[in-house]
Amino acid sequence: MFHRLSQSHTPFVGLDVHKNSITSAVLEPGSDTALIDRFIPDDASIRRFVGALGDPASLAACYEARSYRIGPGPVPRTDGDRL
């Protein structure tokens, strides 16, 4: 189910995840400007960030993490698979 931002009561959270940092964008209901923050990706920082958002059941979140190219060696293959 898709939400219309103008009618939603759900905060929308986007995360750009990297090895040394996480950049977050939070769009509160009724706002047209996201709040952007950056923090260290450790347990304490992540818990503090999520705790500040309120009830986790009322959130809509997504994240972006860079994909890495892997060689054919580590990819599980069966007969007939193509890479």
Side-chain angles (χ1 to χ4, degrees):
M1 174 178 203
F2 293 99
H3 296 278
R4 290 189 53 129
L5 292 178
S6 61
Q7 297 175 347
S8 177
H9 300 289
T10 303
F12 288 87
V13 180
L15 301 173
D16 186 17
V17 180
H18 296 270
K19 179 180 177 181
N20 296 318
S21 68
I22 297 175
T23 302
S24 65
V26 179
L27 184 64
E28 294 288 345
S31 178
D32 60 356
T33 304
L35 302 173
I36 298 173
D37 196 7
R38 188 174 178 177
F39 54 93
I40 298 169
D42 63 7
D43 286 346
S45 297
I46 293 168
R47 289 178 190 277
R48 188 171 32 256
F49 171 73
V50 173
L53 296 172
D55 180 13
S58 70
L59 302 176
C62 64
Y63 77 96
E64 185 277 331
R66 257 179 221 221
S67 59
Y68 292 95
R69 177 175 281 175
I70 57 173
V75 177
R77 288 190 273 176
T78 60
D79 291 341
D81 282 352
R82 300 179 89 184
L83 294 177

